[in-house]
Amino acid sequence: MKVMAQMAMVMNLDKCIGCHTCSVTCKQAWTNRAGTEYVWFNNVETRPGQGYPRTYEDQERWRGGWALNSRGRLTLKGGGRLKKLATIFSNPIMPSIDDYYQPWTYDYSTLTDAPAQQHLPVARPKSLLTGKDMKITWSANWDDDLGGSAVTFANDPILKKVSTQVKQEFESTFMFYLPRICEHCLNPSCAASCPSGAIYKRSEDGIVLVDQDRCRGWRMCISGCPYKKVYFNHRTGKAEKCTFCFPRIEVGMPTVCAETCVGRLRYIGLILYDADRVLEAASTPNDQDLYEAQRSLLLDPNDPEVIRAAEREGIPNDWITAAQRSPIHALINTFKVALPLHPEYRTMPMVWYIPPLSPVVDVVAETGEDAENHRNLFAAIDALRIPIEYLAELFTAGSVPVVDGVLRKLAAMRSYMRDINLGRDPDGGIPAAVGMSEEDMYDMYRLLALAKYDERYVIPPAHAEQAHGLEELATECALDFDGGPGMGGSGPFGEGSGQQSVPVAVENFAVLQERQQADSLGGVAGGNAVTLVSWDGKGSPKGMFRRRRGGSDSPGGESR
Amino acid sequence: MTLFLWVVYPYICLTIFVVGHIWRYRYDKFGWTTRSSQLYENRLLRLGSPLFHFGILAVFLGHVMGLGVPKSWTEAVGISEGLYHFFAVTVGAIAGICTLVGMSILIYRRRTTGPVFSATTSMDKVMYALLALVIVLGLANTVVANLVGSYDYREGVSIWFRGIFRFQTYPELMAAAPWTFQAHGLAAITLFALWPFTRLVHVFSAPLGYLTRPYIVYRSAKPSTAGNRPARRGW
């Protein structure tokens, strides 16, 4: 047994209202640069729908992830090492920009620069790739909220798998949102596909990153990832992906998407897993057994033997404690309500989902029956094959009983807690009907419904002695956009060449946090250095402006 | 003049080639990439890129044979002059034509596909012009040396070329070669000087290590194993 720690996330889909705040804040933080216009480390898809990029889940076409060969051995679905090298000059299974969308902007200046004329000036869409006029035909969320679904829903790869009768009536039946980030897999096929070995998994916390200095732009990771969560920066010619906001995680703060989530539906925590058994679990013959196989990889952090093994591997004590308090461990292994997204891709994904009960509740409520009564809900779960089959294709490779069991637990929780909230005697039979104790049910309610900040996010800070080494990818100066006042721009060898990128210093985030929680708008006590990376626009921190000779200090700061 | 063209100039260019690469690798690891444009356009690339790349790999091997291996060696293992030239002409012509056709497709694509054209740097344009010149002249040499005329480059150019690396110079051999060979040589030497400053550097990151490394790479923050570069500043 080789114990390793993994930072993981669970999303409670019942709470997602599809507001895209996570996508927008993530984009602001990480991909608001030239070359990454179409890159959404975090995106929110409407289900049923095609996803982003379109139909990415159709692995017979895109051939991402792993598959078992005829001898039962785990191989890359897109072809092994020799095939990768043979197709390196033209990757036959790489999505083109049209499978994402052509990024564009508008020539806003015509709105203000136009001379007096009879008609209102119009800002026309301009392609960000060519600078020419373009016709907008698709974007990252073109089919949001089932928009245009009459035309596009037939392309949903998951809908193709469930029975055909669904297709006529699905629109009135159900809809939900699926926020997606990189899965930070235990068995990442993007890393396995990278010819340069630039994609690596951090052995401390399992975050999967691209080493920008070693990436040579061979593009194999993009087709290797079945979730299509590695993107090609078309200006720098390098792969980029979700970083799990590691500079924030290292100082104990949740990711940007989680922090800004309006529905508070994201959970972040550590899990301990047995690295020696990953390959064995990923080679499980039957697709539908992969959920259980992956769950069995996760170790019980309260087991004394696991703790001893973890200590032997040098996992610090506060990390073991954090693993014991982890909401992820509770949701996956204690309550067993979280499920992995597409376990059949065999990458052992580590962003899990609690399937939504709300489509079922909605249907019951529409019939006029009591939608909080567990008997009605249980009956509806049994009767409503449509959403459940669909959810099973997403989360359990089509195994309906597993999804069924999870939804029953969520339904039971609703009924059981209603009695308590209305001051009635709690019915111990309800938790028992789904195999849970009353205490467990209450604990689950507390974690899912109350969802306190420090219970949702149990993130032990990286140890200071490790921090400098963990630092890897970096953002750029905020002023360093095209034609901006920053020092950057295109070097002689193309975008961003030759520059030492500004590292996201761990300290910056600590300073930012301090400033956000400070009482005054002035600078934070101690330290005169100001970095614009961490400046949030509030006031003008001390040291931002040079002190005038003989005069007073900067407007906001106190004079020194 | 002969001395400058065939001794001084090659050494200058090769020095730039070597030092340039070292400098570029230290200064600009981030810019060291293929700068693939497959994302923009795939239909023409799917045809042109493998044609060009496999073609030029074959051309490279041909040059190793023709320039690197002395005539006496091939004769020692029993390959006659006629047999050698038969192979050189057929394989060389096929590889050369593949390269040329592939390159034509790629340049056409680069010029006509909007996004690809806007992503082309001026350095790219210089490099493409020079590379095309080298390839066209090289293909002409195959024809001139073997079909039209009868220049045996293994008695001339090859000896001069190997001499450069042994610091024994034979400028008179190049001066006596047909002008197409001279032009091909000069263009190629110039391309070598330009090489470290273009996207051609991706040749040196041919990922052969992929064949032997484990699939999943783990990296630890511990300084001893934290990648291939020194830790950055700790703040």
Side-chain angles (χ1 to χ4, degrees):
Chain A
M1 179 161 64
K2 179 176 166 57
V3 181
M4 290 184 85
Q6 167 82 36
M7 200 55 79
M9 188 184 280
V10 168
M11 300 190 212
N12 183 0
L13 295 184
D14 248 337
K15 290 183 170 184
C16 184
I17 57 170
C19 67
H20 300 281
T21 306
C22 46
S23 306
V24 171
T25 50
C26 171
K27 195 154 192 29
Q28 286 294 331
W30 290 104
T31 57
N32 58 350
R33 293 164 282 138
T36 58
E37 304 92 350
Y38 78 103
V39 175
W40 296 87
F41 289 167
N42 182 108
N43 74 307
V44 183
E45 299 166 3
T46 304
R47 287 305 176 140
Q50 301 184 80
Y52 183 75
R54 269 176 276 180
T55 71
Y56 71 93
E57 283 154 308
D58 183 358
Q59 300 310 338
E60 293 317 303
R61 178 174 175 203
W62 300 115
R63 312 197 69 74
W66 303 85
L68 296 180
N69 65 11
S70 52
R71 284 171 294 142
R73 281 195 58 203
L74 195 67
T75 50
L76 286 169
K77 198 175 172 78
R81 299 170 201 266
L82 283 173
K83 185 168 178 199
K84 286 265 172 345
L85 292 192
T87 55
I88 205 162
F89 301 130
S90 166
N91 184 347
I93 48 173
M94 182 180 148
S96 78
I97 193 75
D98 295 324
D99 294 306
Y100 301 90
Y101 64 96
Q102 237 196 84
W104 74 88
T105 184
Y106 295 91
D107 56 346
Y108 293 109
S109 57
T110 58
L111 299 182
T112 50
D113 296 352
Q117 57 190 30
Q118 196 183 353
H119 302 288
L120 277 178
V122 181
R124 281 168 307 174
K126 300 270 184 191
S127 165
L128 281 169
L129 301 183
T130 60
K132 305 253 163 57
D133 282 335
M134 68 173 278
K135 191 171 184 291
I136 303 167
T137 54
W138 196 261
S139 82
N141 269 299
W142 206 248
D143 53 355
D144 204 19
D145 290 340
L146 300 179
S149 56
V151 182
T152 60
F153 80 88
N155 298 329
D156 179 350
I158 305 302
L159 212 52
K160 278 180 187 160
K161 286 188 188 169
V162 299
S163 45
T164 46
Q165 47 135 30
V166 174
K167 293 181 182 174
Q168 280 82 47
E169 45 183 326
F170 85 99
E171 232 173 5
S172 58
T173 317
F174 75 109
M175 175 188 99
F176 64 95
Y177 301 101
L178 182 71
R180 295 199 306 124
I181 62 170
C182 165
E183 296 282 343
H184 296 277
C185 305
L186 299 184
N187 186 31
S189 55
C190 59
S193 305
C194 174
S196 312
I199 302 187
Y200 63 99
K201 196 166 174 64
R202 300 209 302 192
S203 45
E204 283 77 13
D205 52 16
I207 294 176
V208 178
L209 294 174
V210 183
D211 184 338
Q212 293 288 306
D213 279 350
R214 291 186 70 178
C215 174
R216 300 284 175 256
W218 299 121
R219 320 176 295 295
M220 289 299 166
C221 51
I222 293 149
S223 49
C225 173
Y227 302 94
K228 293 291 171 280
K229 275 295 175 190
V230 188
Y231 296 87
F232 189 75
N233 180 327
H234 60 87
R235 292 291 290 273
T236 62
K238 304 232 165 184
E240 292 191 25
K241 64 180 288 301
C242 159
T243 64
F244 214 80
C245 288
F246 70 89
R248 293 172 59 95
I249 293 287
E250 280 167 14
V251 290
M253 293 161 81
T255 62
V256 168
C257 54
E259 176 84 88
T260 59
C261 176
V262 177
R264 303 195 293 184
L265 58 93
R266 297 190 187 221
Y267 297 79
I268 296 175
L270 275 184
I271 52 116
L272 302 178
Y273 71 100
D274 185 356
D276 282 342
R277 285 183 40 242
V278 170
L279 182 65
E280 178 199 323
S283 311
T284 304
N286 187 347
D287 279 355
Q288 299 199 346
D289 296 335
L290 279 161
Y291 158 64
E292 278 301 330
Q294 187 174 357
R295 216 170 52 75
S296 75
L297 280 182
L298 311 186
L299 301 167
D300 178 2
N302 294 304
D303 180 346
E305 206 178 304
V306 171
I307 295 175
R308 268 199 305 277
E311 281 167 347
R312 264 203 311 278
E313 297 294 335
I315 297 176
N317 263 321
D318 55 337
W319 279 48
I320 296 173
T321 314
Q324 290 165 347
R325 286 187 51 226
S326 166
I328 309 301
H329 174 70
L331 293 169
I332 292 178
N333 260 350
T334 313
F335 307 133
K336 299 193 181 66
V337 289
L339 302 173
L341 180 65
H342 291 303
E344 72 272 22
Y345 298 162
R346 297 176 184 272
T347 60
M348 306 277 119
M350 282 322 299
V351 175
W352 288 38
Y353 295 87
I354 301 172
L357 181 67
S358 40
V360 180
V361 177
D362 290 347
V363 170
V364 176
E366 273 167 27
T367 63
E369 299 288 331
D370 178 2
E372 303 281 315
N373 183 302
H374 66 282
R375 284 190 195 82
N376 288 345
L377 285 172
F378 285 178
I381 290 170
D382 287 338
L384 283 176
R385 308 316 305 172
I386 296 167
I388 296 173
E389 268 179 39
Y390 190 94
L391 292 172
E393 287 295 344
L394 279 181
F395 299 121
T396 58
S399 167
V400 171
V402 176
V403 176
D404 208 284
V406 172
L407 293 184
R408 277 166 172 269
K409 280 180 185 169
L410 297 176
M413 186 180 78
R414 279 178 98 97
S415 289
Y416 177 74
M417 286 312 301
R418 182 172 66 159
D419 285 343
I420 293 179
N421 288 335
L422 295 179
R424 295 187 225 154
D425 284 338
D427 178 359
I430 300 177
V434 293
M436 289 177 83
S437 73
E438 291 191 62
E439 271 173 34
D440 274 354
M441 185 123 283
Y442 186 82
D443 286 346
M444 186 166 90
Y445 156 78
R446 188 180 162 81
L447 192 55
L448 291 185
L450 301 185
K452 296 289 186 194
Y453 189 91
D454 57 351
E455 290 175 23
R456 268 183 290 142
Y457 308 129
V458 181
I459 307 166
H463 281 258
E465 68 271 16
Q466 307 173 344
H468 70 278
L470 288 168
E471 195 174 292
E472 192 53 59
L473 195 141
T475 61
E476 290 167 28
C477 173
L479 301 176
D480 190 6
F481 51 87
D482 271 353
M487 296 296 285
S490 287
F493 315 122
E495 183 77 10
S497 62
Q499 298 170 65
Q500 282 296 316
S501 40
V502 183
V504 180
V506 170
E507 197 83 347
N508 290 342
F509 287 90
V511 170
L512 174 61
Q513 195 175 27
E514 216 176 316
R515 278 179 51 72
Q516 282 174 335
Q517 293 167 354
D519 293 329
S520 72
L521 290 174
V524 178
N528 290 325
V530 174
T531 63
L532 287 173
V533 177
S534 67
W535 186 51
D536 57 2
K538 277 205 235 167
S540 47
K542 205 175 185 178
M544 187 169 189
F545 299 106
R546 204 181 267 181
R547 194 159 25 148
R548 278 200 205 96
R549 192 174 297 173
S552 67
D553 197 18
S554 57
E558 298 142 9
S559 55
R560 280 166 288 178
Chain B
M1 193 61 190
T2 306
L3 192 70
F4 175 78
L5 280 184
W6 307 116
V7 177
V8 179
Y9 188 59
Y11 276 118
I12 291 176
C13 289
L14 287 177
T15 308
I16 295 176
F17 181 80
V18 173
V19 176
H21 274 103
I22 295 171
W23 168 80
R24 176 95 187 261
Y25 189 73
R26 293 171 64 95
Y27 165 78
D28 185 32
K29 268 188 213 171
F30 183 64
W32 194 294
T33 150
T34 56
R35 305 222 6 255
S36 161
S37 57
Q38 190 184 346
L39 187 72
Y40 298 136
E41 200 277 349
N42 200 12
R43 201 173 49 84
L44 287 170
L45 182 94
R46 195 167 51 208
L47 199 64
S49 178
L51 259 181
F52 170 75
H53 281 97
F54 285 118
I56 203 137
L57 280 177
V59 167
F60 171 74
L61 289 179
H63 278 71
V64 171
M65 272 301 290
L67 293 178
V69 179
K71 196 174 184 179
S72 54
W73 292 16
T74 52
E75 276 169 0
V77 292
I79 300 171
S80 71
E81 179 72 25
L83 189 65
Y84 177 89
H85 273 282
F86 174 72
F87 269 110
V89 173
T90 48
V91 179
I94 292 171
I97 288 167
C98 283
T99 312
L100 194 65
V101 171
M103 177 146 197
S104 312
I105 295 174
L106 290 180
I107 290 180
Y108 170 77
R109 166 181 180 272
R110 194 156 274 281
R111 184 64 194 85
T112 54
T113 312
V116 185
F117 186 56
S118 15
T120 309
T121 65
S122 39
M123 197 53 128
D124 284 343
K125 290 173 192 163
V126 175
M127 185 274 287
Y128 281 123
L130 199 54
L131 188 61
L133 182 69
V134 173
I135 290 171
V136 169
L137 286 170
L139 205 52
N141 282 345
T142 311
V143 178
V144 167
N146 296 294
L147 300 178
V148 182
S150 62
Y151 174 70
D152 187 357
Y153 55 83
R154 294 206 293 166
E155 303 282 5
V157 179
S158 300
I159 294 169
W160 162 79
F161 180 79
R162 287 196 296 275
I164 287 179
F165 298 98
R166 289 184 312 211
F167 299 103
Q168 293 169 359
T169 54
Y170 306 99
E172 67 283 357
L173 286 177
M174 274 314 279
W179 73 269
T180 52
F181 278 85
Q182 295 179 342
H184 178 67
L186 279 180
I189 290 167
T190 313
L191 184 65
F192 282 134
L194 211 61
W195 196 296
F197 314 104
T198 64
R199 67 201 317 184
L200 291 180
V201 291
H202 76 265
V203 172
F204 294 99
S205 32
L208 298 175
Y210 184 52
L211 294 173
T212 53
R213 75 148 219 262
Y215 264 142
I216 313 291
V217 180
Y218 288 91
R219 269 211 230 164
S220 166
K222 294 191 191 80
S224 56
T225 49
N228 58 349
R229 19 171 233 175
R232 283 191 183 151
R233 283 167 295 187
W235 51 262

